Structure formats: C-alpha cells, structure tokens
Amino acid sequence: MPSQAPQDRASKPELNGLSSAQDKSDDEVLKEETVGYPIEAIASAVSKSGDHSRLPRLDNVEPTVTRKELWSYYLYYNGDNGVGPLGFSMTLFQSLANAAGFDPIAGPGSSCQAPDASGQCVVPWGKGKTKSVSSVVLIANGASFAVMTLIFTTIGSAADYGTFGRWLLLVVTLVCWAAQYASVSLTNASRWLLAMALFMIGFISYGATLVFYAAIFPRLARNTAHTRSLKQRYEVGEISREEFDREESLEKNRISNISTMHSNIGYIATLCLNLTLLLPLKDHPMVNNYVLVLVNSYWVLTGIWWFIFQQPRPGPPVPKGESYLTIGWKQIWLACKQYRLLPNTFIYLFGFFLLADGLNTTGTLVSICQNDKFSFSFLQNTYLGLAQAITSTASTLGFWYIQRYWKISTKRMFVVTNVVTMLIPLWGMIGIWTQKFGFHNAWEFWAYNVLFGLFQAPYYAFSQTMMAELTPPGFDNMFFGLFGLSNRASSMIGPNVIQAIIDKSGDNWKGFPFLFALCVAASIVIWFGVDVEKGRRDAGIWADARRQGGD
C-alpha cells in the first residue's frame, strides 16, 4: 500500500459496512473497498460493520499439527528448562568472582570466605575502583537484558516472514549450547571475567530461545486437529462464536500448560542426573563444570527433535525494499503507532513489562542471597531446585485441571499467580528490620522454592497464553517479540536500580521494597486495565485489516 493516501478521496467509496456487493465473498469485498486506505480506517470499518462473527483469515493453509511434531515441541522445552544457563552458570560465575574478590573491611589480599570476614565482597572494577560481587552479577543481568532488547526489536518480528523464524530458533539454540559447553574451561578464580562473558552469552541466547519458542505455540494451537474441527463446526453453525473462542482459548492453554509441565519434568530429570556427578565427585575441583556439560547434553538430546519434525509454516515474503534487519523495527513502529486499535494488547504489554521486571529481578536477588547462604553449593542448589521442580510440575497440572473443569478464564488464573508474585518481595522486605525472617534462614529458601513452584510455574504458562489471546493471528513473532521485550528488556531497569541500592548501602535486602512496589503497580494495571475478550476481537480485526489493506 502507498505510504500516502490517494489525493482524490472523493473518487473512493465510503467504508460503511463493507457489505454492498452481495455476490462477492467477504474477503473480495473487503479487499476491493480498502485499497489505498490507512489501516485505522480499514479496522474501524470492519469493527463498525458489526460482523464480529468472522474468524480472522490467514493467507495460507498450514499443515495440521502431527503427534510427532507436537511431542518434539514439548521435548524441546523439556531440555530448555534453564538449569544450566539460568541457574548453574550464574552460580559458577558468582562463585569465581567471590573467590577472586576480597573483603573491603580487611583490605586487598583478604578472603571473602575467611571465618572473620565481614560478609561483604568486592572485585576490582575499572581503574582503581571496586564493586560488590552482588552488584557485578546484577550488572551482568542488566547488560544481558539490554542485548536481548536489541535482538527482539531488530529481528524478532522478522521471524514472521518466510522461514526466518525456523532458522532463528536453531541459531540461538546452537549459540546457547556452545556457551554451556565452553564453561568447562572455567577452572580457577582468575577466569571470573570469562565466566561473566559466558554467563551473559548463555543467558542472552537462552532468553531468546524462550521467546522464539513461545511464539510458535499460537500457530500450533490454530492448527491442531481439535482446533480445525472446532472451526469446521463453527462455520456450519453447530457452535457459537463465543463457544469457539472459549474452546480455542482452552486449546492454547492446553499446549501452553503441557509444554510448561514438560519443562518442569525436564528440570526434575536434569537435577536428578546432576546428582550422579555431584555426590560421587563432590570433592573434585571440576565437578561443577562437568555438571554444566551434562545439563547441556540433556538439552541437546531432547531439543534436536524439534528441528527434525517441525513442519514448514512459512510466513509471507519480506516486502520489497526491506530486509530481515530493517523489517523488525518498521513493524514494531507501525504496531506501536496503531496502539489505539489494540489498547488491551498494549496495556497488557506495559503491565507485563513492570511485572516481569519485578519478578525477574526478585528471582535474581533471592538467588544471590541463596548462593551466599549455601556457599555457592551446586549440590544444595540441586536439592532446592528439585523441591521447586516437583511442586512446579504438580501445580501446572493442578491449575490446568481446575481451569479446564470449571472453564475459568486465563486472566482469572493469571491473577491468582500475581498475588504470590507480590508476596515474595514483601517477605524479603522483612529481612531489612530483622534477622529472624526475610530470607536469612535455610528453611526460608526451601519455602521460597516450594511456593515459587506452586504458583510461579503456572504464572509463566498463563502469561504467555494471555499474550497469545491478545496477539493478532499471523503476527505471532512480531507480538511475541514485543512480549519478549517486555519480559526481558524490562529487566534492564530492575537490576540496575537494585545494584545501585546495594552498592550504596552494602545490604542486599534494601532492594526488596522497590521490587514490591513494582509488582503491586504491575498487578493493578493487568487486573483492572486489560479486557481479554475485547482484546481478542480487536486483534482479529487488526490482523484482517493488515492483510487486506496492507501497511
């Protein structure tokens, strides 16, 4: 579509219902009557026509999802469970930095692990300066999220075109695997900067795999045999639009919850495998490195099948004059300019931006406190991870059963998980004023991991299903790229604010009040500002307008 509207508006028919040609199909009428109009006018016309019963149209007929393909999708997430790049890599990095650092009270040459150590630990940072190890870990997290922002904005929505999305997930997966295997070279404290670099590369590529993996599931859900059957029943009048939307939503929740359950099962399997090395080799200086290699190999064995059995579902070709490096920014700019047509989608993205920042940074801060409490023990972290993984698997199945049995909406299920998201930093705040509670005791970290498993595993499933509900069909990677931007890029803010607070106060617990306020604000925005039903209809109208009217 031309970038400028036609000069002779009088010669164009009015967009007043799109139903004047009774002998033509809806799509033919819509396409004829919208040539040359801005997308706002097209979407407004479709909306005002009152024909909200039409299902969003996709330009190509995609293959039905096979059982082998769906199971390979689940198995990928089974291996991509985060134990290595999200958990053990950070523990190894923090451990080496702690070993290379010194107690600022005792001065250079002292040990942070000495019996009379003050509890603070700093490493050289810049010319003649030092920075606490906790701040360095948070800076590494913040910088990683900044790089993720660049990835999601530059090439995220480009994955909707051609077969780019298929190859993009493969490339970021291979990068993550390579970074994990390279961790075997981290043999002494002098390599803590290399550990930081490998952690960041692994963490960035891991975050990218999560986003581009999640962007696949709405398309899978639209093409399962069950959804195809629902669409046929709807088109012959056997079921209403409301029933179709409800059942399709449950199908999305089914795939999202089962994939999350598989991630948790993989988490359990990986941690159990770790014990085969951690117990017999607990005194071996390289045992942590060997564990990372084992964890990564498990993911390779379970993840490779998706790239073998995935069926081709290419998007449209890249528009003339564009490239994969430029189309992403243009699409995001166009989508953001049209936020008024998708208010609920963008309100959710904003609310999730705040919520993800609060939850992700809270998790990082609790992990720092946990590593300090248990002296960076891979074995202890494995036991705690097992507690979280077992409860996560049970809760994902339990939440899915409750939702399916009582037909509860995705948003209501998500709200339940939000309450616990707020309570975690609130509990950490208590630790500012007392040593009796607030993540100062071993039992609290056990309780945290169990509670996190019970409520935050379903949080991940329902948050991405909410995004799928509000995503225009056929533009999955574009909007899941924005979702990934909200989830990962938002966390540039939290870690940087918290590291500044910790650096100034020397107290890890002083960061929890900011995180509590962030989680409360985010929950209020999502609870009271997002109408999923209206947002789903708006997304369908927007998608039809984009396909019929162009840019």
Side-chain angles (χ1 to χ4, degrees):
M1 175 176 172
S3 58
Q4 295 182 345
Q7 294 181 353
D8 186 11
R9 280 295 186 194
S11 65
K12 301 293 292 183
E14 294 295 325
L15 296 177
N16 58 359
L18 309 176
S19 58
S20 59
Q22 299 297 326
D23 58 334
K24 297 182 180 180
S25 70
D26 288 341
D27 281 348
E28 290 174 327
V29 172
L30 183 59
K31 194 159 190 173
E32 285 182 9
E33 296 192 357
T34 58
V35 171
Y37 284 98
I39 186 173
E40 290 87 349
I42 301 169
S44 176
V46 176
S47 179
K48 290 177 181 178
S49 70
D51 186 14
H52 296 158
S53 63
R54 294 178 64 224
L55 296 179
R57 304 294 180 101
L58 297 178
D59 294 334
N60 58 326
V61 178
E62 298 174 339
T64 302
V65 176
T66 65
R67 185 178 182 85
K68 190 180 294 183
E69 181 183 24
L70 190 57
W71 271 95
S72 67
Y73 181 77
Y74 294 149
L75 281 174
Y76 179 92
Y77 207 20
N78 186 289
D80 191 14
N81 51 58
V83 171
L86 187 61
F88 285 171
S89 287
M90 191 182 89
T91 301
L92 183 59
F93 158 42
Q94 187 180 348
S95 174
L96 292 178
N98 201 75
F102 61 90
D103 186 336
I105 305 300
S110 61
S111 172
C112 297
Q113 298 299 313
D116 58 345
S118 67
Q120 299 181 48
C121 189
V122 297
V123 290
W125 192 262
K127 294 182 178 180
K129 297 181 180 180
T130 62
K131 190 169 285 290
S132 72
V133 171
S134 296
S135 293
V136 171
V137 173
L138 287 164
I139 287 172
N141 274 267
S144 298
F145 290 128
V147 177
M148 289 184 209
T149 301
L150 185 63
I151 291 173
F152 299 148
T153 50
T154 303
I155 59 177
S157 56
D160 285 318
Y161 294 91
T163 59
F164 186 67
R166 180 175 188 155
W167 296 108
L168 183 59
L169 180 60
L170 176 60
V171 169
V172 294
T173 301
L174 291 174
V175 170
C176 192
W177 288 349
Q180 296 299 288
Y181 280 132
S183 296
V184 75
S185 65
L186 303 174
T187 54
N188 57 66
S190 64
R191 297 183 178 179
W192 72 270
L193 283 172
L194 176 60
M196 180 178 179
L198 289 176
F199 162 70
M200 290 176 64
I201 293 171
F203 187 38
I204 291 165
S205 51
Y206 166 71
T209 65
L210 293 183
V211 170
F212 298 129
Y213 170 87
I216 296 169
F217 102 88
R219 184 165 290 183
L220 289 180
R222 288 197 299 269
N223 289 287
T224 62
H226 178 62
T227 304
R228 292 286 181 86
S229 174
L230 285 173
K231 187 174 182 180
Q232 291 174 357
R233 292 174 60 198
Y234 168 74
E235 289 175 344
V236 299
E238 289 184 11
I239 59 175
S240 65
R241 176 61 189 266
E242 290 72 21
E243 186 176 354
F244 173 85
D245 286 341
R246 183 174 62 252
E247 291 299 323
E248 187 189 38
S249 175
L250 287 173
E251 183 72 350
K252 290 176 182 175
N253 275 287
R254 181 181 74 89
I255 293 177
S256 180
N257 277 280
I258 292 176
S259 64
T260 301
M261 181 196 70
H262 271 280
S263 177
N264 292 319
I265 291 173
Y267 200 75
I268 295 172
T270 303
L271 292 174
C272 289
L273 279 174
N274 292 346
L275 295 177
T276 64
L277 291 178
L278 289 171
L279 292 176
L281 300 177
K282 62 180 180 179
D283 297 322
H284 196 288
M286 291 284 289
V287 63
N288 293 344
N289 307 73
Y290 296 156
V291 165
L292 271 170
V293 170
L294 179 63
V295 167
N296 198 47
S297 297
Y298 179 85
W299 182 11
V300 172
L301 290 174
T302 57
I304 195 67
W305 304 108
W306 169 248
F307 302 107
I308 296 173
F309 295 122
Q310 179 187 12
Q311 295 189 87
R313 294 184 180 87
V318 175
K320 291 183 179 180
E322 301 290 346
S323 72
Y324 285 115
L325 292 178
T326 60
I327 191 65
W329 287 98
K330 182 178 180 181
Q331 290 284 42
I332 289 173
W333 174 243
L334 288 171
C336 291
K337 282 200 307 182
Q338 295 153 12
Y339 71 93
R340 290 184 300 274
L341 300 177
L342 299 168
N344 289 283
T345 302
F346 281 93
I347 290 172
Y348 176 67
L349 285 169
F350 173 71
F352 192 74
F353 179 94
L354 300 177
L355 188 64
D357 193 5
L359 180 63
N360 291 340
T361 311
T362 297
T364 301
L365 188 54
V366 173
S367 294
I368 290 171
C369 297
Q370 180 176 296
N371 285 331
D372 285 337
K373 182 67 179 178
F374 295 108
S375 303
F376 316 103
S377 170
F378 269 40
L379 181 60
Q380 189 63 47
N381 281 334
T382 295
Y383 291 143
L384 291 166
L386 278 171
Q388 183 183 131
I390 293 170
T391 51
S392 293
T393 304
S395 67
T396 303
L397 287 173
F399 270 73
W400 164 234
Y401 176 80
I402 291 169
Q403 182 187 28
R404 184 179 61 179
Y405 186 83
W406 277 286
K407 306 289 185 181
I408 303 174
S409 69
T410 303
K411 181 180 176 180
R412 289 183 180 178
M413 301 297 289
F414 189 45
V415 165
V416 173
T417 68
N418 291 165
V419 174
V420 177
T421 302
M422 293 187 294
L423 291 179
I424 294 172
L426 178 62
W427 185 264
M429 283 174 57
I430 300 174
I432 298 175
W433 302 289
T434 178
Q435 294 290 312
K436 294 182 179 180
F437 304 103
F439 298 123
H440 288 294
N441 307 287
W443 68 264
E444 291 179 281
F445 293 103
W446 282 98
Y448 161 76
N449 279 279
V450 169
L451 193 68
F452 192 97
L454 288 174
F455 291 94
Q456 297 309 286
Y459 155 91
Y460 290 110
F462 292 126
S463 66
Q464 70 177 20
T465 306
M466 281 270 288
M467 189 66 241
E469 299 271 26
L470 299 169
T471 293
F475 297 87
D476 307 300
N477 279 286
M478 177 200 293
F479 282 88
F480 267 85
L482 291 173
F483 181 62
L485 193 64
S486 297
N487 189 12
R488 300 297 173 183
S490 64
S491 298
M492 290 187 297
I493 301 171
N496 285 301
V497 172
I498 300 305
Q499 71 87 16
I501 293 172
I502 293 173
D503 222 33
K504 186 176 181 179
S505 66
D507 186 350
N508 291 345
W509 282 260
K510 291 290 181 67
F512 284 113
F514 172 78
L515 297 173
F516 173 66
L518 207 57
C519 291
V520 170
S523 297
I524 290 173
V525 169
I526 293 172
W527 294 356
F528 300 105
V530 179
D531 184 336
V532 177
E533 298 301 322
K534 185 177 185 303
R536 185 192 296 117
R537 292 194 299 269
D538 290 344
I541 292 169
W542 188 91
D544 272 343
R546 283 295 300 270
R547 277 188 292 273
Q548 297 295 341
D551 293 340

